[in-house]
């Protein structure tokens, strides 16, 4: 079996999990190189997993001609330039979301992808590869709920992770680009249209620290799409029970709900507290298989010489909507796209 040799940049929490998946869970892939600005992270991963090459300079990794592809899980503000540089160097590229933190950055990535049309580019909207979301999409496409008219998406991080969220807030781009962008992508995907207008509200209800970045700890938005359909989004950082991603698609003939209870598994616990179900505690646990499946699709596209469904334009369009929501939130007004 031909193995696609991948170099991964970014070894933070998600980046390290992606690197681990490439190294041990993707049969036709090989993690040949890792890169981080933190030397200790590089050394630790190389030693623990037996990775051949380690870099603290991204541009040096791009000189390695043994590589076939680059996996980008660096801070959001670096994505587009790193995408462009990797494509220019002759590599296939997978980038984590968001595509960019500004429209200008997204356009840079678009031009690079268009210029190197012979290369596979894929963006990490992993929820599309979650088995439940993929199943719901098939139901919608088969017409089983009639015409979808409303998308409702809740994305809530646990209060237990708030310190990390506050630390990251300065360069997250805000809750709509950092968290709600997944729901924005799903709304576009399920409703089959682009957003027309958006109104957003929210605030710092528990953690005023977010206010210094013109952000909130809980925000929401109501959107109208060009085909007349609707979407409601809620993004929160203070869930007391765990990591909670909940989705509903209402159609003219039926309703689909995905993870209306964010249960960890199918076990029920009966004890002195009553009957209860445990909840997923973070995104790595909830979307473990989706993270594997999206990278497997990227590798398969390279091997089979085809392009993935998720494109660079999905990244740009979701970013535009997320920033319109941010504008609506900050200025308390309806924004027309």
């Amino acid at each position: 079996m031909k193995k696609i040799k991948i170099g991964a940049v970014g070894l933070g929490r998600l980046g390290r999990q992606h690197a681990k998946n490439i190294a041990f869970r993707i049969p036709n892939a090989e993690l040949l190189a890792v890169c981080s600005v933190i030397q200790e992270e590089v050394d630790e991963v190389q030693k623990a997993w037996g990775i051949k090459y380690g870099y603290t300079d991204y541009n040096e990794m791009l000189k390695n001609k043994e590589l076939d592809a680059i996996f980008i899980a660096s801070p959001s503000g670096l994505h587009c330039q790193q995408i462009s540089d990797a494509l220019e160097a002759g590599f296939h590229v997978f980038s984590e979301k968001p595509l960019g933190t500004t429209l200008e950055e997204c356009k840079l990535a678009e031009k690079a992808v268009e210029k190197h049309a012979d290369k596979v580019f894929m963006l990490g909207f992993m929820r599309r590869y979650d088995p439940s979301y993929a199943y719901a999409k098939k139901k919608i496409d088969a017409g089983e709920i009639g015409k979808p008219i409303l998308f409702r998406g809740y994305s809530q991080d646990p209060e237990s992770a708030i310190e990390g969220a506050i630390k990251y807030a300065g360069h997250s781009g805000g809750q709509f680009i950092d968290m709600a962008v997944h729901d924005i992508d799903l709304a576009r995907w399920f409703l089959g249209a682009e957003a027309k207008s958006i109104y957003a509200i929210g605030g710092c209800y528990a953690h005023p620290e977010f206010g210094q970045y013109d952000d909130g700890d809980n925000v929401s938005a109501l959107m109208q799409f060009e085909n007349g359909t609707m979407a409601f989004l809620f993004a929160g950082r203070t869930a007391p029970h765990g990591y909670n991603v909940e989705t509903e698609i209402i159609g003219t003939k039926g309703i689909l709900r995905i993870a209306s209870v964010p249960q960890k598994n199918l076990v029920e616990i009966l004890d002195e507290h009553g009957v209860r179900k445990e909840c997923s505690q973070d995104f790595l646990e909830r979307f473990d298989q989706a993270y594997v499946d999206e990278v497997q699709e990227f590798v398969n596209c390279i091997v089979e010489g085809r392009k993935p469904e998720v494109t660079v334009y999905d990244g740009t369009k979701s970013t535009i909507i997320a920033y319109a929501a941010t504008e609506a939130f900050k200025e308390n007004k309806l924004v027309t796209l």
Side-chain angles (χ1 to χ4, degrees):
M1 179 186 296
K2 173 179 169 54
K3 290 199 173 187
I4 301 302
K5 295 177 172 57
I6 299 175
V9 57
L11 294 173
R13 189 182 183 191
L14 178 55
R16 182 169 298 210
Q17 185 60 51
H18 273 306
K20 189 175 182 179
N21 288 343
I22 294 167
F24 302 110
R25 299 176 70 181
I26 310 294
N28 53 344
E30 177 183 354
L31 184 64
L32 192 68
V34 292
C35 178
S36 170
V37 294
I38 301 173
Q39 183 69 59
E40 291 79 7
E41 290 183 346
V42 176
D43 293 342
E44 179 184 347
V45 169
Q46 274 196 279
K47 181 179 179 181
W49 302 346
I51 307 304
K52 186 175 181 180
Y53 298 105
Y55 302 90
T56 56
D57 186 328
Y58 178 68
N59 291 318
E60 285 299 312
M61 184 169 72
L62 296 184
K63 296 177 182 178
N64 188 335
K65 298 308 178 183
E66 291 184 48
L67 296 171
D68 299 305
I70 299 297
F71 192 103
I72 298 171
S74 54
S76 301
L78 301 177
H79 288 180
C80 289
Q81 187 61 57
Q82 290 184 339
I83 290 167
S84 179
D85 291 344
L87 288 169
E88 192 67 30
F91 299 110
H92 303 285
V93 178
F94 184 108
S95 175
E96 252 302 334
K97 67 81 189 169
L99 177 63
T101 55
T102 68
L103 179 57
E104 291 74 22
E105 289 177 1
C106 292
K107 291 298 182 182
L108 170 68
E110 282 187 4
K111 289 179 181 179
V113 171
E114 291 165 355
K115 180 180 178 182
H116 301 281
D118 60 320
K119 299 300 178 185
V120 173
F121 172 78
M122 184 170 169
L123 190 63
F125 282 132
M126 84 292 181
R127 291 188 194 176
R128 294 195 189 197
Y129 295 91
D130 175 77
S132 296
Y133 284 99
Y135 184 74
K137 176 64 169 164
K138 289 180 180 179
K139 291 283 188 184
I140 292 170
D141 290 347
E144 294 190 28
I145 65 167
K147 176 181 173 58
I149 58 175
L150 173 67
F151 171 92
R152 176 179 63 85
Y154 289 174
S155 291
Q156 299 182 76
D157 282 346
E159 173 69 31
S160 60
I162 197 67
E163 290 186 10
I166 292 172
K167 183 178 179 180
Y168 181 64
H171 54 91
S172 72
Q175 256 188 301
F176 288 105
I177 191 68
D178 182 41
M179 293 181 65
V181 72
H182 281 296
D183 291 304
I184 290 169
D185 177 66
L186 288 176
R188 294 178 55 250
W189 193 44
F190 285 133
L191 298 176
E194 299 300 334
K196 179 180 178 181
S197 62
I198 185 165
Y199 179 64
I201 56 176
C204 298
Y205 301 99
H207 299 282
E209 297 94 329
F210 292 103
Q212 64 184 304
Y213 305 111
D214 294 324
D215 199 7
D217 54 28
N218 287 272
V219 299
S220 63
L222 182 64
M223 304 162 58
Q224 183 179 37
F225 283 71
E226 291 175 350
N227 61 357
T229 57
M230 305 167 282
F232 174 73
L233 314 176
F234 172 70
R237 293 185 169 114
T238 58
H241 54 288
Y243 179 71
N244 192 162
V245 170
E246 175 184 346
T247 304
E248 181 177 53
I249 307 100
I250 297 177
T252 54
K253 296 181 179 179
I255 297 171
L256 299 174
R257 289 179 179 167
I258 304 165
S260 57
V261 175
Q263 59 197 56
K264 184 184 184 76
N265 50 43
L266 298 179
V267 175
E268 291 183 342
I269 300 172
L270 290 74
D271 57 17
E272 70 272 19
H273 302 292
V275 181
R276 57 191 171 89
K277 296 180 178 180
E278 293 181 327
C279 298
S280 298
Q281 292 302 304
D282 59 38
F283 59 93
L284 294 176
E285 180 180 29
R286 168 61 181 88
F287 291 106
D288 175 71
Q289 190 59 47
Y291 282 122
V292 174
D293 290 348
E294 67 173 353
V295 181
Q296 184 67 72
E297 170 66 1
F298 172 63
V299 171
N300 289 348
C301 283
I302 296 173
V303 173
E304 298 166 12
R306 58 180 176 84
K307 296 296 179 68
E309 178 184 315
V310 183
T311 71
V312 68
Y313 306 107
D314 290 311
T316 299
K317 289 172 182 176
S318 295
T319 298
I320 290 171
I321 296 169
Y323 272 97
T326 302
E327 180 185 355
F329 165 68
K330 289 180 178 180
E331 301 184 20
N332 191 30
K333 68 178 186 181
L334 178 71
V335 173
T336 302
L337 290 91

